[in-house]
Amino acid sequence: RDNASLVELNRLLNSNASLYIKRKARLLVSYLAAPTFDSLKDNYSYAQVAADPILYMDCWVAWSGRIANMQQTGSLYSCDLFVGYETMKKVDGIVPVYFSSVPVPPIDGARPVRILGKIGVDGGKIKLDAKSVYQSVNGAQNMNSGEKQ
């Protein structure tokens, strides 16, 4: 339950707690591990994160949708994730996604995708630093975009 712990630690770090408490909170943050799709227990929805991005800073999420605007600049690959658009009916939000590892697996923008990434904020907007991508070979439409699993 590292994600849930990180939310509470972020709450402390962004409060008026003493420097001693904040130092201890930062130490605890250093012990948290990156999850996989299978081990992610607390997955926050786009709406939750958009309401208070600083509270969810550095938390991991697995959001699904469709991607667009794919680009590669040197060793950085980026795209926009249309969160919740896997059924092409509703977009919850558009989030820039950055992959720092190369090579990035081939992603088909015409099919739904699920991205595991760490939440960040860039210019006041939510972004994801991606760790993993899942895309079904048959384009199954049953991906969810942030519900607890």
Side-chain angles (χ1 to χ4, degrees):
R1 308 264 337 254
D2 284 1
N3 254 0
S5 299
L6 184 54
V7 169
E8 297 308 318
L9 290 168
N10 281 340
R11 200 178 306 275
L12 278 172
L13 290 169
N14 294 301
S15 72
N16 62 350
S18 70
L19 288 176
Y20 175 77
I21 297 293
K22 288 182 178 186
R23 196 174 305 130
K24 293 290 185 180
R26 281 189 194 92
L27 178 64
L28 289 173
V29 167
S30 71
Y31 289 109
L32 303 179
T36 63
F37 282 113
D38 294 336
S39 67
L40 182 65
K41 300 277 189 249
D42 299 289
N43 191 25
Y44 302 106
S45 70
Y46 176 82
Q48 286 174 295
V49 174
D52 192 357
I54 300 302
L55 184 62
Y56 297 97
M57 181 71 79
D58 294 330
C59 286
W60 292 88
V61 291
W63 286 341
S64 61
R66 294 187 186 253
I67 62 167
N69 305 324
M70 297 173 274
Q71 348 178 358
Q72 184 167 359
T73 308
S75 64
L76 183 67
Y77 175 85
S78 65
C79 63
D80 291 328
L81 176 65
F82 289 67
V83 181
Y85 195 58
E86 58 272 3
T87 60
M88 299 178 77
K89 294 187 181 185
K90 181 182 91 165
V91 176
D92 296 331
I94 301 172
V95 178
V97 178
Y98 301 96
F99 296 84
S100 57
S101 62
V102 173
V104 174
I107 302 170
D108 181 1
R111 294 185 322 200
V113 66
R114 189 169 175 95
I115 296 178
L116 175 67
K118 184 188 281 193
I119 296 170
V121 176
D122 186 17
K125 296 187 178 204
I126 301 168
K127 70 171 187 153
L128 284 182
D129 292 316
K131 176 184 174 193
S132 301
V133 177
Y134 171 76
Q135 188 169 53
S136 175
V137 290
N138 65 5
Q141 300 288 322
N142 62 354
M143 297 180 183
N144 59 10
S145 62
E147 297 84 22
K148 276 191 169 182
Q149 297 181 358

